[in-house]
Amino acid sequence: MLHLRIIAPADQSAAVADLLAADPGVTHLAVLNGAGRQPAGDLILCDVVRESADGVLHGLRQLGVEAGGGIAADDVELTLSTAADRAAREAPGSGADALVWDEIAAKTGEQTELSGTYLVLIVVATMIAGIGVLLDQPILIVGAMVVGPEFGPLAALCVALLRRKAKIIVRSVQALVVGFLVAMVATVLSTWALTAAGLVSREMLLAERPLTDFIWRPDALSWVVGLLAGVAGMLSLTSKKSGSLVGVLISVTTVPAAANVAVAAAYGVWHEAVGSALQLVINLCAIVVAGLVTLALQQLWWWNVARRTTGPITPRRPRPPADDRAASAGGRIRHPDRPLR
């Protein structure tokens, strides 16, 4: 469930409240007239189940609420309410499968920024993987996979391709290309420095490495693993299952492949560099293709769910006052200007 805080201009407040009251997935609706100061307007609060959240947010944006006011959403960790239980039952679909496009776009859009933190993380991850390659240590390889931040831009690229957001596509590709290039250059320099210090050598790369040689020897299974990782990664993102995402990061060899390219290039072992580069491209392409297909199928599923709903949503009718209920039940209500007969 999401908690919405909406500041609506006074001339839009009634329309916003009607929109929210009409959706069966909305509950705990409250309108505080004139409570908004910056921007000025009415403060409207409500809770909405995840399966209805995308439609509600879309309706609010169609009203143009964000232009003159604002919309904020937070996750609700605990709700003890019969009304909330009823909203979850009446809303179509399952909250675990729900797509909230504005939430996904905001989450992935933040990860396309080519920030200092992103560059440091991908450089550190690639350098750790480079040492793991030379030592033939899977533990270091796994650690590098977890540290690597490259899945964020990959997920953003999938969302942007599906929604045709050219700016996000450019930013995602830029983050991936620049990030991996900077990381590989840094790993080449660190490999030379470690070699000069006598800590590693070219012979370590040329020696038998049964535990990590798969990194530079791609095959058909590399494509299969990349596809499966893309599906799992996108589902973990859209369903907020962060635990699954850790497993996805460990299952793909993007950062280790980039590290092997850098180490092999540093020592002039070009056949390993080419094989690792091919492994990197295969994994990146497989994740994007699988993520894009997964998002498209999820979107199609929710279109079908919306189509199966029975008829248009009608606003909830407020309960009549006690006097009206008594009158409708046949009770005799005394009018203030008339004697009771």
Side-chain angles (χ1 to χ4, degrees), residues 4-308:
L4 300 185
R5 299 186 307 278
I6 305 163
I7 294 182
D11 58 343
Q12 292 182 316
S13 179
V16 171
D18 289 343
L19 172 71
L20 296 173
D23 195 297
V26 174
T27 187
H28 306 150
L29 177 61
V31 180
L32 306 178
N33 294 323
R37 295 299 180 89
Q38 188 179 359
D42 297 341
L43 176 62
I44 302 176
L45 306 174
C46 71
D47 292 332
V48 54
V49 294
R50 292 188 62 84
E51 47 267 50
S52 295
D54 190 64
V56 168
L57 292 173
H58 180 70
L60 292 173
R61 297 186 69 176
Q62 282 190 321
L63 291 176
V65 174
E66 74 279 9
I71 306 168
D74 295 317
D75 284 315
V76 178
E77 299 296 336
L78 175 65
T79 301
L80 302 177
S81 168
T82 302
D85 294 338
R86 183 174 60 251
R89 290 193 303 268
E90 293 179 358
S94 170
D97 300 329
L99 282 178
V100 185
W101 283 110
D102 288 309
E103 180 186 51
I104 296 171
K107 186 185 303 182
T108 56
E110 294 174 356
Q111 302 182 52
T112 62
E113 183 180 356
L114 196 59
S115 63
T117 301
Y118 171 81
L119 289 176
V120 169
L121 284 175
I122 196 168
V123 166
V124 169
T126 307
M127 292 173 67
I128 292 174
I131 296 173
V133 164
L134 291 171
L135 297 178
D136 195 31
Q137 284 292 337
I139 294 177
L140 295 178
I141 299 297
V142 171
M145 291 175 176
V146 175
V147 173
E150 76 282 0
F151 186 78
L154 286 170
L157 180 59
C158 296
V159 175
L161 287 171
L162 185 64
R163 307 194 76 188
R164 301 176 184 177
K165 302 291 185 180
K167 291 184 179 180
I168 303 299
I169 293 174
V170 172
R171 287 171 52 188
S172 302
V173 173
Q174 182 184 34
L176 289 168
V177 173
V178 175
F180 275 116
L181 286 178
V182 170
M184 286 189 283
V185 170
T187 304
V188 169
L189 297 176
S190 68
T191 301
W192 287 342
L194 293 173
T195 303
L199 298 176
V200 296
S201 65
R202 189 173 187 269
E203 287 69 27
M204 296 174 67
L205 182 70
L206 298 177
E208 290 292 328
R209 292 181 286 128
L211 300 179
T212 58
D213 64 353
F214 68 93
I215 295 173
W216 61 275
R217 291 178 176 174
D219 53 20
L221 288 178
S222 301
W223 179 258
V224 173
V225 171
L227 288 174
L228 296 176
V231 173
M234 196 54 61
L235 288 176
S236 68
L237 179 69
T238 57
S239 63
K240 303 177 72 64
K241 302 293 185 182
S242 57
S244 302
L245 186 56
V246 176
V248 172
L249 298 177
I250 296 175
S251 65
V252 292
T253 55
T254 49
V255 167
N260 209 101
V261 171
V263 173
Y267 289 135
V269 185
W270 298 111
H271 69 283
E272 277 204 30
V274 172
S276 301
L278 181 58
Q279 179 79 273
L280 176 61
V281 172
I282 288 175
N283 277 275
L284 292 176
C285 292
I287 290 173
V288 172
V289 170
L292 188 59
V293 172
T294 302
L295 280 175
L297 291 176
Q298 285 181 288
Q299 180 174 261
L300 181 61
W301 168 263
W302 275 100
W303 280 348
N304 290 332
V305 168
R307 197 183 308 173
R308 288 199 302 267

